[in-house]
Structure formats: C-alpha cells, structure tokens
Amino acid sequence: MPLPPLVGLIMGSYSDIKHLEETIMVFKEFAVPFEARALSAHRTPAEVARWATEAEKMGLKVLIAAAGGAAALPGVVAAHTLLPVIGVPIPTALMNGMDSLLSIAQMPAGVPVATMACGMGGARNAGLLAVQILALADPKLAEMLQVSRRQMAAKVIERDNVLQEKIRNEYKI
Ligand code: RP5
C-alpha cells in the first residue's frame, strides 16, 4: 500500500507540470510520498480553498504551490493554512516569469510564502526545501540530505579539476 502523502504539490494549471519535473525528481530521489493537484486560484477558487483548508487534516506537512502570470495560487493557499507554503514561479512567454515571481514574492506581512527562483533551479529547490522541512523530524531524511550535499560538492570539485586541466592544456598557461 502506498504511504500517505507528506507533501502537497499544487499547480495552477495542468500546463505547469512540464516546469515541475525537477520537483518530482526530488521526491523520487528521497522517496517522499506526495500528492499533486492542478487547481486554479482564479478558475476553481472554491476547490483551492477546500484543498488548502483540509491539507493539514489530510496529514500533509508542507505545501508547494506553483503558478504563472497573475500567480495568486501560492498566496491563496497560504491564506487558508498554517502549513509552510513554498511558492514556485512558472516561466511565462510574456515576461519570462518575472510576473509570476513578483506575484508570488510580494506577499503582505502576516501571510508568508517561501518564494523560489523562477525556472528549473527553483523547481528543484522547492522539492529540496520541502525535504529539509520534513527532515527536521526525520533523521533518515536528514542523513540523505547530507549525502546529497556531499555528492554535489564532489561533482563541483571534479569539474574544477577538469577546468584547471583544460586551462593548462588548451591555453598552455
Ligand atoms: C496560471 O496561468 C497557471 O499556473 C499557468 O501557469 C497559467 C496559464 O494556465 P493555462 O492557460 O495554460 O491553463 O494560473
């Protein structure tokens, strides 16, 4: 039987899913059970309110809300719950996602949304921040995060060595 979801991932439209693959990869990597919904703050406001209001009762511990353009979804979700809400700005054709980023980041005092960067990095960081929040109460997840950070650092060092060799060989310096 699948484990009950701990993270709720909500997106403003099914069309957003292609920008959230990195978030889902993080859940796979850390074996974190999650549920995904595509509901709009503007087109289906009642469903969004119901989902966000019931999220804590459903056992979810952290929510990720992604939206593009007039991206009200993360703020609306945050207005209906005390669970931490991570906002992911979806890139847009008109303004490369600057519209999404500012809509999500500029929350009024009292209702915070932890806003990620726009683009692939932000989508991955949303998943990682959710895992870090869960890891506060889960030492196994915390250890997995430590391993992941060490692996990331090792890759950077490896590329640094490659760079130095390239400079020596190609530029003869
Ligand atoms: C936002 O409007 C969604 O999050 C999506 O990024 C954008 C466009 O939605 P669709 O018109 O593709 O459904 O609410």
Side-chain angles (χ1 to χ4, degrees), residues 27-45:
F27 298 145
K28 263 187 100 165
E29 211 174 303
F30 289 88
V32 167
F34 71 100
E35 75 162 37
R37 302 294 304 270
L39 294 171
S40 162
H42 299 115
R43 295 165 175 157
T44 56

PDB file of all heavy atoms in Angstrom, residues 27-45:
ATOM      1  N   PHE A  27      11.372  14.305  -5.065  1.00  0.00           N
ATOM      2  CA  PHE A  27      10.537  13.398  -4.246  1.00  0.00           C
ATOM      3  C   PHE A  27      10.901  11.939  -4.512  1.00  0.00           C
ATOM      4  O   PHE A  27      10.917  11.115  -3.602  1.00  0.00           O
ATOM      5  CB  PHE A  27       9.049  13.632  -4.509  1.00  0.00           C
ATOM      6  CG  PHE A  27       8.596  15.020  -4.138  1.00  0.00           C
ATOM      7  CD1 PHE A  27       7.615  15.663  -4.877  1.00  0.00           C
ATOM      8  CD2 PHE A  27       9.157  15.677  -3.062  1.00  0.00           C
ATOM      9  CE1 PHE A  27       7.209  16.937  -4.541  1.00  0.00           C
ATOM     10  CE2 PHE A  27       8.761  16.958  -2.716  1.00  0.00           C
ATOM     11  CZ  PHE A  27       7.780  17.594  -3.465  1.00  0.00           C
ATOM     12  N   LYS A  28      11.183  11.648  -5.794  1.00  0.00           N
ATOM     13  CA  LYS A  28      11.595  10.273  -6.134  1.00  0.00           C
ATOM     14  C   LYS A  28      12.921   9.936  -5.475  1.00  0.00           C
ATOM     15  O   LYS A  28      13.088   8.872  -4.874  1.00  0.00           O
ATOM     16  CB  LYS A  28      11.756  10.145  -7.668  1.00  0.00           C
ATOM     17  CG  LYS A  28      10.538   9.565  -8.355  1.00  0.00           C
ATOM     18  CD  LYS A  28      10.821   9.311  -9.806  1.00  0.00           C
ATOM     19  CE  LYS A  28      11.124   7.844 -10.046  1.00  0.00           C
ATOM     20  NZ  LYS A  28      11.062   7.514 -11.483  1.00  0.00           N
ATOM     21  N   GLU A  29      13.872  10.868  -5.602  1.00  0.00           N
ATOM     22  CA  GLU A  29      15.230  10.689  -5.064  1.00  0.00           C
ATOM     23  C   GLU A  29      15.203  10.411  -3.553  1.00  0.00           C
ATOM     24  O   GLU A  29      15.946   9.573  -3.058  1.00  0.00           O
ATOM     25  CB  GLU A  29      15.970  12.001  -5.323  1.00  0.00           C
ATOM     26  CG  GLU A  29      17.438  11.941  -5.548  1.00  0.00           C
ATOM     27  CD  GLU A  29      17.912  13.358  -5.946  1.00  0.00           C
ATOM     28  OE1 GLU A  29      17.407  13.934  -6.945  1.00  0.00           O
ATOM     29  OE2 GLU A  29      18.788  13.890  -5.246  1.00  0.00           O
ATOM     30  N   PHE A  30      14.340  11.121  -2.836  1.00  0.00           N
ATOM     31  CA  PHE A  30      14.314  10.999  -1.372  1.00  0.00           C
ATOM     32  C   PHE A  30      13.156  10.118  -0.888  1.00  0.00           C
ATOM     33  O   PHE A  30      12.907  10.037   0.309  1.00  0.00           O
ATOM     34  CB  PHE A  30      14.235  12.390  -0.731  1.00  0.00           C
ATOM     35  CG  PHE A  30      15.514  13.174  -0.865  1.00  0.00           C
ATOM     36  CD1 PHE A  30      15.747  13.966  -1.981  1.00  0.00           C
ATOM     37  CD2 PHE A  30      16.512  13.079   0.090  1.00  0.00           C
ATOM     38  CE1 PHE A  30      16.931  14.675  -2.131  1.00  0.00           C
ATOM     39  CE2 PHE A  30      17.702  13.783  -0.034  1.00  0.00           C
ATOM     40  CZ  PHE A  30      17.914  14.578  -1.155  1.00  0.00           C
ATOM     41  N   ALA A  31      12.471   9.476  -1.832  1.00  0.00           N
ATOM     42  CA  ALA A  31      11.344   8.591  -1.515  1.00  0.00           C
ATOM     43  C   ALA A  31      10.323   9.269  -0.600  1.00  0.00           C
ATOM     44  O   ALA A  31       9.861   8.703   0.394  1.00  0.00           O
ATOM     45  CB  ALA A  31      11.856   7.298  -0.877  1.00  0.00           C
ATOM     46  N   VAL A  32       9.984  10.500  -0.958  1.00  0.00           N
ATOM     47  CA  VAL A  32       8.992  11.261  -0.178  1.00  0.00           C
ATOM     48  C   VAL A  32       7.622  11.119  -0.845  1.00  0.00           C
ATOM     49  O   VAL A  32       7.457  11.481  -2.009  1.00  0.00           O
ATOM     50  CB  VAL A  32       9.402  12.759  -0.099  1.00  0.00           C
ATOM     51  CG1 VAL A  32       8.252  13.607   0.411  1.00  0.00           C
ATOM     52  CG2 VAL A  32      10.624  12.926   0.782  1.00  0.00           C
ATOM     53  N   PRO A  33       6.627  10.585  -0.108  1.00  0.00           N
ATOM     54  CA  PRO A  33       5.300  10.474  -0.708  1.00  0.00           C
ATOM     55  C   PRO A  33       4.641  11.855  -0.850  1.00  0.00           C
ATOM     56  O   PRO A  33       4.719  12.672   0.072  1.00  0.00           O
ATOM     57  CB  PRO A  33       4.529   9.588   0.286  1.00  0.00           C
ATOM     58  CG  PRO A  33       5.279   9.663   1.565  1.00  0.00           C
ATOM     59  CD  PRO A  33       6.699  10.051   1.259  1.00  0.00           C
ATOM     60  N   PHE A  34       4.050  12.095  -2.001  1.00  0.00           N
ATOM     61  CA  PHE A  34       3.431  13.408  -2.235  1.00  0.00           C
ATOM     62  C   PHE A  34       2.144  13.234  -3.021  1.00  0.00           C
ATOM     63  O   PHE A  34       1.906  12.194  -3.624  1.00  0.00           O
ATOM     64  CB  PHE A  34       4.392  14.321  -3.015  1.00  0.00           C
ATOM     65  CG  PHE A  34       4.585  13.914  -4.460  1.00  0.00           C
ATOM     66  CD1 PHE A  34       3.909  14.565  -5.483  1.00  0.00           C
ATOM     67  CD2 PHE A  34       5.432  12.863  -4.788  1.00  0.00           C
ATOM     68  CE1 PHE A  34       4.068  14.195  -6.811  1.00  0.00           C
ATOM     69  CE2 PHE A  34       5.605  12.482  -6.115  1.00  0.00           C
ATOM     70  CZ  PHE A  34       4.926  13.149  -7.121  1.00  0.00           C
ATOM     71  N   GLU A  35       1.308  14.262  -2.973  1.00  0.00           N
ATOM     72  CA  GLU A  35       0.149  14.262  -3.871  1.00  0.00           C
ATOM     73  C   GLU A  35       0.220  15.505  -4.742  1.00  0.00           C
ATOM     74  O   GLU A  35       0.736  16.543  -4.321  1.00  0.00           O
ATOM     75  CB  GLU A  35      -1.169  14.202  -3.100  1.00  0.00           C
ATOM     76  CG  GLU A  35      -1.600  15.482  -2.430  1.00  0.00           C
ATOM     77  CD  GLU A  35      -3.083  15.468  -2.086  1.00  0.00           C
ATOM     78  OE1 GLU A  35      -3.598  14.409  -1.704  1.00  0.00           O
ATOM     79  OE2 GLU A  35      -3.713  16.536  -2.189  1.00  0.00           O
ATOM     80  N   ALA A  36      -0.227  15.383  -5.970  1.00  0.00           N
ATOM     81  CA  ALA A  36      -0.181  16.508  -6.909  1.00  0.00           C
ATOM     82  C   ALA A  36      -1.596  16.853  -7.350  1.00  0.00           C
ATOM     83  O   ALA A  36      -2.401  15.957  -7.630  1.00  0.00           O
ATOM     84  CB  ALA A  36       0.686  16.149  -8.106  1.00  0.00           C
ATOM     85  N   ARG A  37      -1.878  18.160  -7.400  1.00  0.00           N
ATOM     86  CA  ARG A  37      -3.191  18.634  -7.861  1.00  0.00           C
ATOM     87  C   ARG A  37      -2.987  19.781  -8.853  1.00  0.00           C
ATOM     88  O   ARG A  37      -2.026  20.540  -8.739  1.00  0.00           O
ATOM     89  CB  ARG A  37      -4.021  19.168  -6.673  1.00  0.00           C
ATOM     90  CG  ARG A  37      -4.273  18.185  -5.553  1.00  0.00           C
ATOM     91  CD  ARG A  37      -5.157  17.022  -5.973  1.00  0.00           C
ATOM     92  NE  ARG A  37      -6.436  17.402  -6.522  1.00  0.00           N
ATOM     93  CZ  ARG A  37      -7.545  17.576  -5.798  1.00  0.00           C
ATOM     94  NH1 ARG A  37      -7.512  17.388  -4.494  1.00  0.00           N
ATOM     95  NH2 ARG A  37      -8.692  17.921  -6.380  1.00  0.00           N
ATOM     96  N   ALA A  38      -3.867  19.885  -9.823  1.00  0.00           N
ATOM     97  CA  ALA A  38      -3.872  21.026 -10.737  1.00  0.00           C
ATOM     98  C   ALA A  38      -5.190  21.761 -10.529  1.00  0.00           C
ATOM     99  O   ALA A  38      -6.240  21.335 -11.040  1.00  0.00           O
ATOM    100  CB  ALA A  38      -3.717  20.550 -12.179  1.00  0.00           C
ATOM    101  N   LEU A  39      -5.147  22.840  -9.744  1.00  0.00           N
ATOM    102  CA  LEU A  39      -6.348  23.625  -9.428  1.00  0.00           C
ATOM    103  C   LEU A  39      -5.966  25.102  -9.496  1.00  0.00           C
ATOM    104  O   LEU A  39      -4.861  25.467  -9.101  1.00  0.00           O
ATOM    105  CB  LEU A  39      -6.856  23.306  -8.013  1.00  0.00           C
ATOM    106  CG  LEU A  39      -7.381  21.891  -7.758  1.00  0.00           C
ATOM    107  CD1 LEU A  39      -7.633  21.694  -6.261  1.00  0.00           C
ATOM    108  CD2 LEU A  39      -8.652  21.633  -8.554  1.00  0.00           C
ATOM    109  N   SER A  40      -6.873  25.926  -9.963  1.00  0.00           N
ATOM    110  CA  SER A  40      -6.554  27.334 -10.185  1.00  0.00           C
ATOM    111  C   SER A  40      -7.217  28.246  -9.142  1.00  0.00           C
ATOM    112  O   SER A  40      -8.406  28.093  -8.850  1.00  0.00           O
ATOM    113  CB  SER A  40      -7.027  27.705 -11.597  1.00  0.00           C
ATOM    114  OG  SER A  40      -7.130  29.097 -11.718  1.00  0.00           O
ATOM    115  N   ALA A  41      -6.411  29.202  -8.637  1.00  0.00           N
ATOM    116  CA  ALA A  41      -6.945  30.182  -7.673  1.00  0.00           C
ATOM    117  C   ALA A  41      -8.041  31.025  -8.306  1.00  0.00           C
ATOM    118  O   ALA A  41      -8.942  31.504  -7.613  1.00  0.00           O
ATOM    119  CB  ALA A  41      -5.822  31.077  -7.175  1.00  0.00           C
ATOM    120  N   HIS A  42      -7.953  31.213  -9.630  1.00  0.00           N
ATOM    121  CA  HIS A  42      -8.937  32.069 -10.310  1.00  0.00           C
ATOM    122  C   HIS A  42     -10.083  31.268 -10.925  1.00  0.00           C
ATOM    123  O   HIS A  42     -11.233  31.698 -10.899  1.00  0.00           O
ATOM    124  CB  HIS A  42      -8.237  32.885 -11.412  1.00  0.00           C
ATOM    125  CG  HIS A  42      -7.168  33.789 -10.884  1.00  0.00           C
ATOM    126  ND1 HIS A  42      -5.833  33.634 -11.187  1.00  0.00           N
ATOM    127  CD2 HIS A  42      -7.226  34.841 -10.042  1.00  0.00           C
ATOM    128  CE1 HIS A  42      -5.116  34.566 -10.554  1.00  0.00           C
ATOM    129  NE2 HIS A  42      -5.945  35.307  -9.858  1.00  0.00           N
ATOM    130  N   ARG A  43      -9.758  30.094 -11.487  1.00  0.00           N
ATOM    131  CA  ARG A  43     -10.794  29.335 -12.209  1.00  0.00           C
ATOM    132  C   ARG A  43     -11.553  28.375 -11.302  1.00  0.00           C
ATOM    133  O   ARG A  43     -12.705  28.031 -11.600  1.00  0.00           O
ATOM    134  CB  ARG A  43     -10.146  28.551 -13.360  1.00  0.00           C
ATOM    135  CG  ARG A  43      -9.543  29.432 -14.448  1.00  0.00           C
ATOM    136  CD  ARG A  43      -8.617  28.615 -15.340  1.00  0.00           C
ATOM    137  NE  ARG A  43      -8.094  29.383 -16.464  1.00  0.00           N
ATOM    138  CZ  ARG A  43      -6.977  29.065 -17.110  1.00  0.00           C
ATOM    139  NH1 ARG A  43      -6.276  28.005 -16.749  1.00  0.00           N
ATOM    140  NH2 ARG A  43      -6.567  29.797 -18.130  1.00  0.00           N
ATOM    141  N   THR A  44     -10.889  27.902 -10.247  1.00  0.00           N
ATOM    142  CA  THR A  44     -11.565  26.972  -9.316  1.00  0.00           C
ATOM    143  C   THR A  44     -11.271  27.402  -7.870  1.00  0.00           C
ATOM    144  O   THR A  44     -10.683  26.642  -7.096  1.00  0.00           O
ATOM    145  CB  THR A  44     -11.086  25.517  -9.540  1.00  0.00           C
ATOM    146  OG1 THR A  44      -9.648  25.467  -9.404  1.00  0.00           O
ATOM    147  CG2 THR A  44     -11.481  24.969 -10.886  1.00  0.00           C
ATOM    148  N   PRO A  45     -11.691  28.614  -7.500  1.00  0.00           N
ATOM    149  CA  PRO A  45     -11.316  29.141  -6.180  1.00  0.00           C
ATOM    150  C   PRO A  45     -11.853  28.299  -5.017  1.00  0.00           C
ATOM    151  O   PRO A  45     -11.164  28.132  -4.007  1.00  0.00           O
ATOM    152  CB  PRO A  45     -11.920  30.551  -6.166  1.00  0.00           C
ATOM    153  CG  PRO A  45     -12.930  30.574  -7.263  1.00  0.00           C
ATOM    154  CD  PRO A  45     -12.484  29.583  -8.288  1.00  0.00           C
TER     155      PRO A  45
END
